[in-house]
Amino acid sequence: MLKPLGDRVVLQVEKEAEQKVGNIVIASNAQEKPVTGKVIVVSTQTVGELQKPTAVSEGDTVVFDKYAGQEIHVEGQDYLVVHEKDIIAVI
């Protein structure tokens, strides 16, 4: 599994359902990017000997900036690694 460094959080992005307009299926690249995901792993930051708490924890569903993060593919799964500051809210 991934171990994020610094102030990063690993998310599993929730896939959007296939959209249709009438009988026309909208191509996946024409749909808007999803902005919600489930927190998989949170980094543990340290400042000297103190550990800085993070605003999110594993299992939270969060809303993040639309174009934030780096998409990665590990062990057959797609993940998004974002900075904690790019997370807007916890649902």
Side-chain angles (χ1 to χ4, degrees):
M1 183 40 132
L2 296 170
K3 180 180 177 184
L5 302 175
D7 68 337
R8 291 177 177 83
V9 177
V10 177
L11 303 175
Q12 187 170 31
V13 179
E14 295 178 358
K15 301 291 182 192
E16 296 293 321
E18 188 177 80
Q19 294 182 350
K20 288 186 177 185
V21 176
N23 289 333
I24 300 171
V25 176
I26 299 176
S28 62
N29 60 351
Q31 296 177 12
E32 288 196 24
K33 291 182 74 173
V35 293
T36 59
K38 181 179 178 183
V39 176
I40 303 299
V41 180
V42 178
S43 69
T44 54
Q45 301 179 63
T46 56
V47 179
E49 293 183 21
L50 300 175
Q51 186 172 352
K52 181 181 173 188
T54 56
V56 296
S57 58
E58 294 177 13
D60 287 347
T61 300
V62 296
V63 177
F64 55 89
D65 286 332
K66 186 178 282 190
Y67 298 104
Q70 177 67 41
E71 295 176 356
I72 57 172
H73 186 80
V74 178
E75 298 176 359
Q77 293 288 331
D78 292 323
Y79 298 103
L80 183 69
V81 180
V82 299
H83 287 278
E84 186 179 12
K85 67 180 179 173
D86 293 329
I87 295 175
I88 300 168
V90 177
I91 297 177

